[in-house]
Amino acid sequence: MMIGMTAMVAILVATVTVWLRLADETTLAPDDLGRGEYRLLRMDGSHFTQESLLGAPSLVFFGFTHCPDVCPTTLGDMAGWREDLGAEWERLRVFFVSVDPERDSAEILSDYVGWLPGLTGVTGAPEETASAIRAFRVFARKVPLEGGDYTMDHSSSILMFNASGGFFGTIAYQAPHDEALGKIRGLLGG
């Protein structure tokens, strides 16, 4: 009986130790969010890499131009935040990264996001896009539709990065306006 109890305690201690180590690693995981080997193309012809997150606070959203709801809603939310933040918005770098490089050329992205000042569309080769999706740990998947067309399922949160390129947090899809403004102001340091 005593050996059985000792074995159970040993298993419990080992389980808790492993869990604490994994919890510690999970807590540290966001430090490398956005870091990796990818080289995408911005609408202006310059490249978008992990270095693009350095030097100014950034918002990064992954979407696509044929998106029926999440992307247009998020762009509309961004327009409202821009209006309310005024000059504070100008301190941000805001990126819309396409998860659909087959259809979203730089020209198409420019038309799609060009109405919102300060928003930069980003696209690239499918392999580079896949590398960026892995680096930012977002979800994106092609979903076939009838007639040979397709849509994309994708993550809907906006990722926030500080001026050092460190992950700061997220803004959830359709977050209340004041909550999103508070998070952006926190990112901007005020």
Side-chain angles (χ1 to χ4, degrees):
M1 182 75 169
M2 188 64 142
I3 294 174
M5 184 65 91
T6 303
M8 285 178 49
V9 169
I11 290 171
L12 179 63
V13 168
T15 302
V16 169
T17 301
V18 168
W19 180 79
L20 287 172
R21 285 188 181 160
L22 289 176
D24 222 15
E25 289 173 17
T26 303
T27 302
L28 297 175
D31 287 347
D32 67 348
L33 200 66
R35 300 215 166 86
E37 297 298 319
Y38 56 88
R39 186 177 172 110
L40 300 173
L41 189 64
R42 298 182 199 191
M43 295 179 318
D44 66 3
S46 64
H47 290 102
F48 178 81
T49 66
Q50 65 182 1
E51 285 78 26
S52 301
L53 301 176
L54 301 174
S58 302
L59 303 180
V60 181
F61 178 71
F62 285 78
F64 67 115
T65 64
H66 288 74
C67 183
D69 45 27
V70 172
C71 298
T73 300
T74 300
L75 292 178
D77 289 344
M78 286 182 181
W81 305 335
R82 179 183 182 276
E83 184 175 318
D84 286 353
L85 289 168
E88 289 178 282
W89 180 264
E90 305 304 320
R91 296 177 40 214
L92 288 170
R93 291 185 188 150
V94 186
F95 301 101
F96 180 98
V97 182
S98 174
V99 297
D100 186 10
E102 293 176 34
R103 295 187 288 200
D104 291 346
S105 66
E107 183 180 338
I108 288 171
L109 272 175
S110 182
D111 289 343
Y112 189 72
V113 302
W115 62 273
L116 184 55
L119 180 60
T120 301
V122 178
T123 191
E127 319 78 57
E128 294 295 325
T129 300
S131 292
I133 287 169
R134 282 191 302 276
F136 284 91
R137 295 192 199 125
V138 294
F139 173 78
R141 167 177 74 102
K142 186 186 270 190
V143 179
L145 299 174
E146 290 182 22
D149 199 8
Y150 67 91
T151 189
M152 300 293 293
D153 281 346
H154 63 92
S155 299
S156 58
S157 291
I158 296 170
L159 304 173
M160 301 187 307
F161 294 87
N162 63 31
S164 299
F167 178 67
F168 186 83
T170 62
I171 300 172
Y173 174 60
Q174 290 191 315
H177 186 79
D178 289 339
E179 176 185 313
L181 286 178
K183 288 183 174 190
I184 294 169
R185 285 189 172 116
L187 174 64
L188 292 169

